[in-house]
Amino acid sequence: MRLLIVWLGGFVLGALAAAVTLYFDPLAAQSDVASEAVGEGTQNLHYAVGGSDAFALTHAAPPGLKTHPASVPTLFEAALAKTALGVFLLTDDVGVGVAVATRISKLSNQTNPLTKGIVLADDWIVSVPGSGTYVVEQQSNVWPLLRDTVVDVGLLKRAWSDHREFPVTIGPGIGGQALVTGASGIYRDVGGTAVERMSLDGFMALGQLPDALAGTLTVTLQAPSAAEATEPTLSAAEDSP
Amino acid sequence: MRSSFVIAFVVGFAGVLAAAYFVPWGAHARILSKTSVAMNGGREETFQIFLPADRIVEVADGERFPLALDSALRVPAELATAAFVAEHFKLRDIDGTVIGLATRHWTATPTGMQSVWAVNIPSRGTLVLAAEGDVPGQLAAALVRTGETSEQARAEEIEVALARDTSEPRVVVGTEEFQGVTGHYSETWHISGLNERGELQGTIVLSTVVNQT
């Protein structure tokens, strides 16, 4: 009996030590904010997950996670169980609406809590009425966001009130940036990169998710010739000394 | 006793880390792909969208898009200067099983209306398709020709081919299993009527042919 208690105690303490390791996640992919390209052709596109700027948000609707508007169907089918769909108004730095975006996010098969974090595969379809459409392919590590909200506030009841930003983009482009591909209109043959950061102004209760969440997608577009000239290729990387 | 404790600690520590590392957290339910080999090469696959059951949400400029649903969310005034519709659907395979999501943005551009589809299948990746042409206009005209804009439901089905060779329907880009593919697609609406809320009833059929490059 005493041996069993010792075994159980050792196992539980070992598991807790592993959980603490995963909490701080030292091996996980970190978003490299320094790689964010800012210059000509760069635009900050701001969005809110909730509020009047958010058209819709739906997912498999696990308990406690809201969808909106009320009439939107949930993604209850087995094939969509780890997928979310958001439709947002994108505004510029002064708050004027400049585009409408659809964001489809799914839990990525790259997810590995030990080495990469909780990785989402995001597809953004961004349309500027009158101009055209481009798409953004992104991988994002949302573990730091989940840790500060679901774990710290939801489980550990440690609310916080400061402004926190969460740079989430970790790929799939070289340098950890998202990839932009032009699809129609004036964007048809453009390429580019993007990075995204999410933010919260304090977090008091789990019920604030997802409405309290806001984000900025910083997109850098390159004209076709520039994109071709600067696009890093695997063969070019292999050829370099 | 101490060695038992240490061994149990290591087992607990390693067990949790092993679970974190080896469990396929990002795996999605995968439905068998209904693909076939195209006659002139490539892989052919047909997707369906049942209307109105599969519609998730629509965001539209109602002034310029006469088919906008009453329930459509409206774009703000600063964006209502050009025609725009964003539609979102659940996506089915040829057997009618929901396998993913489909998003279509119809946008006015300097060269006319253009549409972009994003076909997202969580277990396989995303395929982005685009076509030129006044797609909403073609659809509205076809409905007007057949009297479909009246509130009376039609007895027979009408077929509207929207993305055809003349509108240069093409694969723009793909991710994951669709990465690096090229190809083309066609889009056909089989419309059987309007329901009491004025929503189209029918099926959108997307037929894709892709080649791995």
Side-chain angles (χ1 to χ4, degrees), chain A residues 221-238:
Chain A
L221 297 175
Q222 295 173 321
S225 56
E228 286 168 13
T230 60
E231 186 177 9
T233 61
L234 186 59
S235 58
E238 287 170 347

PDB file of all heavy atoms in Angstrom, chain A residues 221-238:
ATOM      1  N   LEU A 221       2.509  43.737 -49.875  1.00  0.00           N
ATOM      2  CA  LEU A 221       2.293  43.253 -51.231  1.00  0.00           C
ATOM      3  C   LEU A 221       3.453  43.664 -52.120  1.00  0.00           C
ATOM      4  O   LEU A 221       4.016  44.754 -51.971  1.00  0.00           O
ATOM      5  CB  LEU A 221       0.982  43.818 -51.791  1.00  0.00           C
ATOM      6  CG  LEU A 221      -0.295  43.391 -51.057  1.00  0.00           C
ATOM      7  CD1 LEU A 221      -1.511  44.122 -51.631  1.00  0.00           C
ATOM      8  CD2 LEU A 221      -0.498  41.885 -51.142  1.00  0.00           C
ATOM      9  N   GLN A 222       3.789  42.775 -53.042  1.00  0.00           N
ATOM     10  CA  GLN A 222       4.863  43.060 -53.990  1.00  0.00           C
ATOM     11  C   GLN A 222       4.315  42.912 -55.389  1.00  0.00           C
ATOM     12  O   GLN A 222       3.573  41.949 -55.672  1.00  0.00           O
ATOM     13  CB  GLN A 222       6.029  42.089 -53.792  1.00  0.00           C
ATOM     14  CG  GLN A 222       6.722  42.241 -52.448  1.00  0.00           C
ATOM     15  CD  GLN A 222       7.752  41.154 -52.225  1.00  0.00           C
ATOM     16  OE1 GLN A 222       7.533  40.013 -52.574  1.00  0.00           O
ATOM     17  NE2 GLN A 222       8.872  41.521 -51.639  1.00  0.00           N
ATOM     18  N   ALA A 223       4.693  43.822 -56.269  1.00  0.00           N
ATOM     19  CA  ALA A 223       4.303  43.724 -57.674  1.00  0.00           C
ATOM     20  C   ALA A 223       4.889  42.442 -58.258  1.00  0.00           C
ATOM     21  O   ALA A 223       5.886  41.927 -57.738  1.00  0.00           O
ATOM     22  CB  ALA A 223       4.806  44.934 -58.435  1.00  0.00           C
ATOM     23  N   PRO A 224       4.316  41.923 -59.350  1.00  0.00           N
ATOM     24  CA  PRO A 224       4.773  40.639 -59.890  1.00  0.00           C
ATOM     25  C   PRO A 224       6.274  40.554 -60.126  1.00  0.00           C
ATOM     26  O   PRO A 224       6.911  39.602 -59.725  1.00  0.00           O
ATOM     27  CB  PRO A 224       4.005  40.519 -61.205  1.00  0.00           C
ATOM     28  CG  PRO A 224       2.796  41.349 -61.008  1.00  0.00           C
ATOM     29  CD  PRO A 224       3.196  42.465 -60.090  1.00  0.00           C
ATOM     30  N   SER A 225       6.855  41.580 -60.728  1.00  0.00           N
ATOM     31  CA  SER A 225       8.282  41.507 -61.031  1.00  0.00           C
ATOM     32  C   SER A 225       9.104  41.492 -59.761  1.00  0.00           C
ATOM     33  O   SER A 225      10.059  40.734 -59.621  1.00  0.00           O
ATOM     34  CB  SER A 225       8.702  42.689 -61.903  1.00  0.00           C
ATOM     35  OG  SER A 225       8.346  43.901 -61.247  1.00  0.00           O
ATOM     36  N   ALA A 226       8.696  42.331 -58.793  1.00  0.00           N
ATOM     37  CA  ALA A 226       9.425  42.375 -57.528  1.00  0.00           C
ATOM     38  C   ALA A 226       9.290  41.072 -56.775  1.00  0.00           C
ATOM     39  O   ALA A 226      10.233  40.571 -56.172  1.00  0.00           O
ATOM     40  CB  ALA A 226       8.905  43.536 -56.671  1.00  0.00           C
ATOM     41  N   ALA A 227       8.070  40.497 -56.829  1.00  0.00           N
ATOM     42  CA  ALA A 227       7.852  39.241 -56.116  1.00  0.00           C
ATOM     43  C   ALA A 227       8.726  38.139 -56.690  1.00  0.00           C
ATOM     44  O   ALA A 227       9.332  37.359 -55.966  1.00  0.00           O
ATOM     45  CB  ALA A 227       6.382  38.848 -56.208  1.00  0.00           C
ATOM     46  N   GLU A 228       8.830  38.106 -58.033  1.00  0.00           N
ATOM     47  CA  GLU A 228       9.646  37.067 -58.658  1.00  0.00           C
ATOM     48  C   GLU A 228      11.118  37.256 -58.334  1.00  0.00           C
ATOM     49  O   GLU A 228      11.862  36.305 -58.120  1.00  0.00           O
ATOM     50  CB  GLU A 228       9.445  37.088 -60.177  1.00  0.00           C
ATOM     51  CG  GLU A 228       8.095  36.516 -60.592  1.00  0.00           C
ATOM     52  CD  GLU A 228       7.802  36.814 -62.051  1.00  0.00           C
ATOM     53  OE1 GLU A 228       8.720  37.218 -62.775  1.00  0.00           O
ATOM     54  OE2 GLU A 228       6.644  36.650 -62.456  1.00  0.00           O
ATOM     55  N   ALA A 229      11.529  38.545 -58.312  1.00  0.00           N
ATOM     56  CA  ALA A 229      12.949  38.822 -58.089  1.00  0.00           C
ATOM     57  C   ALA A 229      13.382  38.482 -56.674  1.00  0.00           C
ATOM     58  O   ALA A 229      14.510  38.066 -56.448  1.00  0.00           O
ATOM     59  CB  ALA A 229      13.228  40.299 -58.375  1.00  0.00           C
ATOM     60  N   THR A 230      12.489  38.666 -55.708  1.00  0.00           N
ATOM     61  CA  THR A 230      12.890  38.493 -54.312  1.00  0.00           C
ATOM     62  C   THR A 230      12.399  37.190 -53.710  1.00  0.00           C
ATOM     63  O   THR A 230      12.788  36.855 -52.611  1.00  0.00           O
ATOM     64  CB  THR A 230      12.342  39.642 -53.455  1.00  0.00           C
ATOM     65  OG1 THR A 230      10.913  39.637 -53.559  1.00  0.00           O
ATOM     66  CG2 THR A 230      12.877  40.969 -53.922  1.00  0.00           C
ATOM     67  N   GLU A 231      11.587  36.460 -54.459  1.00  0.00           N
ATOM     68  CA  GLU A 231      11.039  35.243 -53.886  1.00  0.00           C
ATOM     69  C   GLU A 231      12.151  34.218 -53.654  1.00  0.00           C
ATOM     70  O   GLU A 231      12.826  33.797 -54.579  1.00  0.00           O
ATOM     71  CB  GLU A 231      10.001  34.645 -54.836  1.00  0.00           C
ATOM     72  CG  GLU A 231       9.300  33.458 -54.225  1.00  0.00           C
ATOM     73  CD  GLU A 231       8.228  32.925 -55.164  1.00  0.00           C
ATOM     74  OE1 GLU A 231       8.173  33.381 -56.326  1.00  0.00           O
ATOM     75  OE2 GLU A 231       7.475  32.057 -54.746  1.00  0.00           O
ATOM     76  N   PRO A 232      12.374  33.833 -52.395  1.00  0.00           N
ATOM     77  CA  PRO A 232      13.420  32.853 -52.138  1.00  0.00           C
ATOM     78  C   PRO A 232      12.966  31.464 -52.577  1.00  0.00           C
ATOM     79  O   PRO A 232      11.832  31.069 -52.345  1.00  0.00           O
ATOM     80  CB  PRO A 232      13.584  32.916 -50.609  1.00  0.00           C
ATOM     81  CG  PRO A 232      12.314  33.480 -50.095  1.00  0.00           C
ATOM     82  CD  PRO A 232      11.698  34.276 -51.199  1.00  0.00           C
ATOM     83  N   THR A 233      13.807  30.770 -53.253  1.00  0.00           N
ATOM     84  CA  THR A 233      13.451  29.429 -53.687  1.00  0.00           C
ATOM     85  C   THR A 233      14.379  28.426 -53.037  1.00  0.00           C
ATOM     86  O   THR A 233      15.476  28.764 -52.609  1.00  0.00           O
ATOM     87  CB  THR A 233      13.574  29.290 -55.215  1.00  0.00           C
ATOM     88  OG1 THR A 233      14.934  29.536 -55.567  1.00  0.00           O
ATOM     89  CG2 THR A 233      12.692  30.287 -55.941  1.00  0.00           C
ATOM     90  N   LEU A 234      13.924  27.194 -52.961  1.00  0.00           N
ATOM     91  CA  LEU A 234      14.725  26.155 -52.344  1.00  0.00           C
ATOM     92  C   LEU A 234      16.022  25.968 -53.109  1.00  0.00           C
ATOM     93  O   LEU A 234      17.097  25.860 -52.521  1.00  0.00           O
ATOM     94  CB  LEU A 234      13.938  24.860 -52.294  1.00  0.00           C
ATOM     95  CG  LEU A 234      14.581  23.697 -51.552  1.00  0.00           C
ATOM     96  CD1 LEU A 234      14.842  24.087 -50.110  1.00  0.00           C
ATOM     97  CD2 LEU A 234      13.697  22.472 -51.627  1.00  0.00           C
ATOM     98  N   SER A 235      15.925  25.973 -54.453  1.00  0.00           N
ATOM     99  CA  SER A 235      17.138  25.758 -55.239  1.00  0.00           C
ATOM    100  C   SER A 235      18.122  26.893 -55.043  1.00  0.00           C
ATOM    101  O   SER A 235      19.331  26.675 -54.949  1.00  0.00           O
ATOM    102  CB  SER A 235      16.778  25.620 -56.722  1.00  0.00           C
ATOM    103  OG  SER A 235      16.093  26.772 -57.160  1.00  0.00           O
ATOM    104  N   ALA A 236      17.610  28.133 -54.934  1.00  0.00           N
ATOM    105  CA  ALA A 236      18.504  29.266 -54.728  1.00  0.00           C
ATOM    106  C   ALA A 236      19.196  29.150 -53.377  1.00  0.00           C
ATOM    107  O   ALA A 236      20.376  29.429 -53.245  1.00  0.00           O
ATOM    108  CB  ALA A 236      17.703  30.571 -54.793  1.00  0.00           C
ATOM    109  N   ALA A 237      18.420  28.694 -52.372  1.00  0.00           N
ATOM    110  CA  ALA A 237      19.008  28.547 -51.037  1.00  0.00           C
ATOM    111  C   ALA A 237      20.090  27.470 -51.043  1.00  0.00           C
ATOM    112  O   ALA A 237      21.122  27.594 -50.383  1.00  0.00           O
ATOM    113  CB  ALA A 237      17.917  28.192 -50.034  1.00  0.00           C
ATOM    114  N   GLU A 238      19.844  26.403 -51.816  1.00  0.00           N
ATOM    115  CA  GLU A 238      20.816  25.310 -51.871  1.00  0.00           C
ATOM    116  C   GLU A 238      22.076  25.737 -52.600  1.00  0.00           C
ATOM    117  O   GLU A 238      23.182  25.303 -52.280  1.00  0.00           O
ATOM    118  CB  GLU A 238      20.198  24.091 -52.566  1.00  0.00           C
ATOM    119  CG  GLU A 238      19.179  23.391 -51.678  1.00  0.00           C
ATOM    120  CD  GLU A 238      18.394  22.334 -52.456  1.00  0.00           C
ATOM    121  OE1 GLU A 238      18.491  22.349 -53.689  1.00  0.00           O
ATOM    122  OE2 GLU A 238      17.684  21.552 -51.824  1.00  0.00           O
TER     123      GLU A 238
END
